[in-house]
Amino acid sequence: MRFLLTDEQREFGRSLDALLTAADTPAVLRAWAAGDHGPGRALWGRLADAGVFALAVPEAYGGVGPLPVEAAVACVELGRHAVPGPVAETLAAGVLLAGAGGPVAEEWLPGIASGAALVSLTLEGYGPYAPDADAADAVFTVSGDELRLAPDPGEPSASADPARRLFRPEPGGAPVAKGPALRAAARAAGDWAAFATAALALGCGEELLRATVAYVKQRTQFGVPVGSFQAVKHRLADTLLGLEFARPLLYGAAVELASEVSRPGAGAGSAEGSPGAGAAVAAAKVTAGEAGYAAARTALQLHGAIGYTEELDLAWWLRRARPLRDAWGTPSACRARVLAG
């Protein structure tokens, strides 16, 4: 298969890049990490106006989706600019609530599509933590065939990324949806969370590589740029190959997810997460996650001691690469799923 983005999809990515370049995301990240969510919420609203969060919400609830390819384009850009907030979780919640249907979907999906609602969630099989639950308007938990709205975000846990805080939601809360269909919706939501996280990891790795290439061009040793050294060139080339190898797997997973939505008998937002789509998502997740983390290690080595300093904006991307690699499917779990699929 030869897959290329359309001109419209490419323009969508360029428009998001321009929006985020003007937003000064390092300042937004610092505020978010300090507990000031105002600048982040304002940026979230501008992204919603651009249609980002409507991509996972069916038209019946005010969205334009599910559109996995466009969601991949968007999340790569959000990863490149390290946008704070529960991006993958909110997109996954759009799929989860659409599959659940009923009053909970009618209440929350229009807000997700419009950017008025930030949502975090936990799903069985993916760990007990809800990222950025303190900033979320709702934290959903799924256990078996029950969907609950967590009564409290719970206490924060240690996180390698200070702008991506982890919370273990308080148990309890009345069920807001239940039934066999919820299990299928949860599987689909898990695939979307892993898929969006893979795209964020790819974008994070791209920015780390871009910044590192720029740095080795201007840093000199023995009177010449260190970027002219053969060993440095090889390290950067290996990093680029890893990222470029992950890209077609990401968009291949997007095509698989899109085919789930468009198959005969599937209604809007009713993708059930087939083994084939799940294996494609897992392949994209492990490859993009490992490539992003490798880019972080390359960036840290080639920046030298300055890479450890908090004053360097790149530190926010360095801290984010490993959590993105491990969130919504560790490398070992993803490899096992690929083999099983």
Side-chain angles (χ1 to χ4, degrees), residues 233-250:
K233 290 180 179 179
H234 285 174
R235 186 67 185 267
L236 293 170
D238 289 344
T239 303
L240 176 62
L241 283 173
L243 294 168
E244 289 303 314
F245 184 73
R247 193 184 314 280
L249 292 177
L250 176 68

Side-chain angles (χ1 to χ4, degrees), residues 13-43:
R14 286 192 290 267
S15 68
L16 291 177
D17 178 44
L19 184 158
L20 292 168
T21 299
D24 189 15
T25 52
V28 177
L29 281 162
R30 288 185 167 86
W32 191 274
D36 178 7
H37 301 132
R41 294 293 297 245
L43 177 57

Side-chain angles (χ1 to χ4, degrees), residues 202-305:
L202 178 61
C204 179
E206 287 181 347
E207 176 57 20
L208 285 162
L209 178 60
R210 183 208 63 78
T212 305
V213 169
Y215 181 72
V216 298
K217 285 181 178 179
Q218 56 91 23
R219 179 187 172 193
T220 60
Q221 197 171 48
F222 309 117
V224 297
V226 298
S228 64
F229 300 160
Q230 197 72 9
V232 172
K233 290 180 179 179
H234 285 174
R235 186 67 185 267
L236 293 170
D238 289 344
T239 303
L240 176 62
L241 283 173
L243 294 168
E244 289 303 314
F245 184 73
R247 193 184 314 280
L249 292 177
L250 176 68
Y251 286 110
V255 171
E256 287 287 343
L257 289 174
S259 69
E260 286 295 293
V261 177
S262 61
R263 76 187 190 280
S270 66
E272 297 183 358
S274 74
V281 169
K285 176 64 173 59
V286 66
T287 309
E290 294 280 34
Y293 182 51
R297 296 182 64 176
T298 296
L300 187 58
Q301 180 183 28
L302 298 185
H303 275 81

